[in-house]
Every structure is written in structure tokens, then in C-alpha cells.
Amino acid sequence: MTGGLAAGRTVIVVVDGLGIGAMPDAGQLRPGDRAADTLGHLLDHCRSERGTALRLPVLGALGLGLLHPHPDLARGTELPVAVARAGLGYPGADTYAGHQTLTGADFSQVTVANLGRFLPEVTAAAEKAGHHVELLDGQPLAVVDGRVLVHDNLEADPGINWNVSGRLQDLPFAEILALARTVRAVAPVARVIAVGGHADRPLPAYVRPGDGGTVGLDTPATGFYRNGGLQVQHLGAPTDHARQLPEVAARAGAAVALVGKAADILSCDSAVRLPAVRTDEVLAHTLAVLRDDVPDGPGSRLPGVGGLLVVANVQETDLAGHQQDARRYGSVLEQVDAGLGALVEELCRPGDRLIVTADHGNDPTIGHAYHTREYVPVLIHRPGAARTEVLAEAGGLADVGATAARFLGLDPGELAAGMPLRA
């Protein structure tokens, strides 16, 4: 601790997929991604289609136009804000890895890799666990015990995640999950996902090549998503959750709330979890936490204890990016802006902080449905600060978590990674 837990409230709102321009290595997988600019292309597209600018007065007042100058964004602000551009600080562009890094995890050992590069290790681990492994027609994909496929995930960026998939009419999900845990032990990627569902035909009938040399199961085509009974469990890369911001804050006595998708992918045993997908619900839940208007919420659970951390994820921006729907993305971003206005009004005490950021890009105009590797904004509202500041670039999202730790009066060194911004 640096001097005791601060009594203020720190809220981190992650606008999922809101990139502000390609990072230098963005074109390594797809050369066209060097031109990725989620925010800029979104503003241009919406003005061209609608004939009017997106209504983003709050994001403008929070300094977004200082980081990404554009005719449709305010060029200055009277709010006491500090702004910075942040690199991702983890390989690829992934929501799970982004949030883990954002809250202080060290993902430096995680790599982006197709399953084919690690088939010998996966095969050896599965055989040691008593399974029989063979390739499907010589392809870089493992068939285990004739019933389960270990394969590249074709729904995320190539090399980010691997799947272990089986039909529930062939074996129980517990066996699929057990095999996934065996694969997780040797996997270098961010996530290994166990998937069980009801398919219309044997799974090899749905195997197809993907981008970047991947080979995997076309999960939507199997019928898993429409036949009912789907079971999924995400196994993340080994992470010391005790050294992530939510656990560090809770240990120090702060109340912690995880809202939206953050409730599903971040770890904190004592946190109040408020999952939601709809943007209005995510922002309403966040505001309700601040107003101590959540049944069994942070205030009622920790009466008299100062300090509150809220991490909220707005997911619908990312979903619109995956759908390559710039119009919908713009509409959702306007909803975000309106909800942020209420948060700015509520977070008015000198010790309060609002941090608006993102986890990666998802340019809806780039020509594909994958995430884009972009810089992200870090917009910090600081009631009581004397002036607006443009800060030096953050090396990674872990710096955002370290900054939030400092705002709460915690020692940023308790996190596994990250250096606080001078905000």
C-alpha cells in the first residue's frame, strides 16, 4: 500500500473494439490491417451514410479528439482530463487477453500460434493421459479417441484460441473438458475452449480451412448453436489472479463490481457480478453501483469501507464490428456516449476517477470480421485537477490497471505488470 486505501471511486469502462489506429505490427497477419482505424473509419462512414456527424459530445469532452483529431470530434475540452494512447501490450487482438492485461496480468509468455505448430506437444500430452490421437486426413488437426477434435478456432483471429470440440451424443461434456485441460497444460495461446453440442453429422464433416493456415471446425455449421444444449468453458492462459487489480483492490478492502462481459472473464471471488450484453443495461448497472442502488451490491456488502472499483465492458461495439456493420457500431457508440455523460456527472468528487479505454480494435470497414490490432484510447476524467493533459504513450494496457491502482491508493507493484501513467 502507498498510504492507505483511497475513499474515492474508480470506474473503468472498456468500449470493446474501439481502436484509434493501427499499431506498427498490425499487418503481420493481414497486410491490409495496416490501414485499420476503427474510430476514424467509423466517423467517416457514418457522416457519409447519414449526412451528419455521430453525436459524441461526452467522448469529445473526455478528450478523444486530442488523441485522434477528426473534424467530427471536439478539438479541446474544459473537463479536467488526462489522455493517452496505449499499445495493447499482449500478442494479437483478443478480448480475453486484453482484459487480463488491462487488470495487470503478465501475458508476455502468451503467443499467437496455429495448432499445427504444436501438434507433437498436444499429441504427447493426450497420449500420456491415455488417449488415442490421429490426424484427420493428414491435416494439422487432432482426432482424439475418434470422437473429439482438437483444432484451430475459426471464429477468432488465427492463432489466438484453440478449441476442443465434441458431440454430446457421443460423450459427456466432462470428458471434453478434461481433454481441454490436458491441452491447456501445453498450449501457448491465450485460450483453449472446450465446446460440446449436438451436431447433425459427425464433426469431421464440418472441418474446413480458415485464414492464416488454420484448420478447424466450422462450429456454426455443425448445428451446435441452434440445436440446444450447448456447453462451453474457456480455459485461459495461467494467470496469477491474486496479482490482478480486482483481487488486489478487494484484498485492501475496496468494494469491487464487474459489469457486462467483464463479469464473465475477470476473476475476483468477492466481486459483485452484473453480467449484461445490452449497452444501456451495462451503463445502467454501472451507474446503479455508483449510487449504491444494487441489491446486495458493494455498499451493502462493505458498509463503511472506503474505495470502490468498477470494471465494465460494453460488448455491443465489438459485436457490430464482427458483423461489419458500421451503422450499428455508430448507433451503439452514441448510446455509450450518452451513458458516459451520466457517469461523468456522478463521478464528481475529487477522489473519483473515470477511465474510458478499449481492449483492441474491430474496424467494421476493413473487409473482414476479425479484431484489428490497433492502439486504444485512455481517457481519464479527474475531478479537481487543474488542467487538461496529453500524456506520454502507454506501452500496454497493463499501465491502465496500474494507474487505476494508484488512484485507489494501492501499490501498483502488487500487480504482475504495468507502470502507472503520470495522470
Side-chain angles (χ1 to χ4, degrees), residues 113-122 140-142 149-153 159 161-163 183 187 189 213-215:
N114 294 356
L115 175 66
R117 286 176 50 195
F118 289 86
L119 267 177
E121 291 87 344
V122 170
L141 173 150
L149 302 184
V150 181
H151 60 93
D152 292 311
N153 180 308
N161 306 320
W162 300 347
N163 282 21
V183 174
V189 295
T214 57
V215 177

Side-chain angles (χ1 to χ4, degrees), residues 6 19 28 34 43 92 122 141 145 165 175 313-314 335 346 351 391 422:
Q28 288 184 353
R34 295 190 186 98
L43 291 167
V122 170
L141 173 150
D145 300 331
S165 303
E175 293 185 22
N313 171 278
V314 175
Q335 278 188 283
E346 177 67 28
L391 307 175
R422 295 185 180 278

Side-chain angles (χ1 to χ4, degrees), residues 202-219:
L203 295 186
Y206 303 101
V207 170
R208 66 170 176 82
D211 291 345
T214 57
V215 177
L217 188 68
D218 187 340
T219 304

Side-chain angles (χ1 to χ4, degrees), residues 28-47:
Q28 288 184 353
L29 178 63
R30 290 178 295 268
D33 282 10
R34 295 190 186 98
D37 181 358
T38 299
L39 177 63
H41 290 160
L42 184 67
L43 291 167
D44 292 342
H45 183 277
C46 289
R47 174 172 278 281

Side-chain angles (χ1 to χ4, degrees), residues 28 36 41 60 76 130 161 178 188 211 229 231 243 252 259 265 278 338 343 347:
Q28 288 184 353
H41 290 160
N161 306 320
D211 291 345
Q231 295 189 61
R243 298 191 64 193
V259 183
I265 59 179
R278 284 178 40 182
L343 295 181
L347 291 162

